[in-house]
Amino acid sequence: MTDHDRDAVLHAVHQVLQARKGADPSSSYVAGLYGKGLDTILKKVGEEATETVIAAKGGDRDQVVYETADLWFHTLVMLAALDLGPADVLAELERRFGLSGLDEKASRSS
């Protein structure tokens, strides 16, 4: 799979998540999350972040990838719930690219 294909997958997932926003909550897992509201989605992101950290501490590379995929997925759900998407995050990463981490951090405090 090429980088372009991977980008396409990210954007395809976003499109599905957008489509599920108006769906009957009983029709899919994602529609159910949207139906329960942002707090439930945020709790799920926190849970997946914790599981990712635990997997990384455990050192099992396959488990780290698995948990990171869950974290990314639920983060995409959160973004879509807030009418944001991967393009917004990628634009911010692009803005930061080439900045030193120290300079980027200093720009946030001013």
Side-chain angles (χ1 to χ4, degrees), residues 42-53:
L42 297 176
K43 287 176 189 173
K44 193 64 181 167
V45 171
E47 173 188 316
E48 297 302 342
T50 300
E51 290 175 1
T52 301
V53 169

Side-chain angles (χ1 to χ4, degrees), residues 26-65:
S26 66
S27 67
S28 75
Y29 171 73
V30 171
L33 284 174
Y34 289 134
K36 292 176 184 171
L38 185 60
D39 283 350
T40 296
I41 294 167
L42 297 176
K43 287 176 189 173
K44 193 64 181 167
V45 171
E47 173 188 316
E48 297 302 342
T50 300
E51 290 175 1
T52 301
V53 169
I54 291 167
K57 290 288 286 177
D60 180 333
R61 293 170 57 89
D62 290 339
Q63 194 64 28
V64 170
V65 169

